[in-house]
């Protein structure tokens, strides 16, 4: 989760658009960094970082995801 936080807050050389597809609309639920979760058919694809972490990342609170630094996160 720390790696995901670093990716979304620009603390890593990877941009979020390189790995993830952002959710089209968050509405009133979730946080502004919500990621679209697509179904992985192949077992090898299910083990990718960009697929494994999405469910946990999307379930985090808005306060945690929008924290100012990694220590607060």
């Amino acid at each position: 989760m720390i790696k995901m936080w670093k990716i979304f807050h620009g603390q890593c050389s990877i941009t979020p658009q390189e790995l993830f597809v952002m959710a089209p609309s968050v509405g009133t639920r979730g946080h502004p960094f919500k990621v679209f979760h697509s179904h992985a058919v192949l077992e090898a694809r299910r083990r990718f970082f960009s697929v494994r972490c999405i469910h946990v990342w999307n379930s985090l609170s808005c306060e945690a995801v929008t924290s100012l630094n990694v220590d607060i996160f």
Side-chain angles (χ1 to χ4, degrees):
M1 290 302 94
I2 291 174
K3 187 65 167 180
M4 291 274 288
W5 185 91
K6 287 182 177 182
I7 289 171
F8 280 99
H9 289 279
Q11 307 253 337
C12 186
S13 62
I14 303 169
T15 62
Q17 293 77 19
E18 291 178 32
L19 289 178
F20 307 108
V21 175
M22 301 306 288
S25 174
V26 257
T28 60
R29 297 182 185 210
H31 49 79
F33 300 115
K34 204 158 202 132
V35 179
F36 177 73
H37 187 269
S38 61
H39 181 70
V41 177
L42 298 175
E43 183 65 29
R45 175 79 176 130
R46 288 185 198 136
R47 298 180 190 273
F48 281 19
F49 171 78
S50 59
V51 174
R52 286 183 295 142
C53 299
I54 291 175
H55 179 70
V56 177
W57 177 256
N58 285 343
S59 67
L60 290 175
S61 68
C62 185
E63 293 81 19
V65 173
T66 58
S67 59
L68 298 177
N69 63 29
V70 74
D71 293 332
I72 295 172
F73 176 73

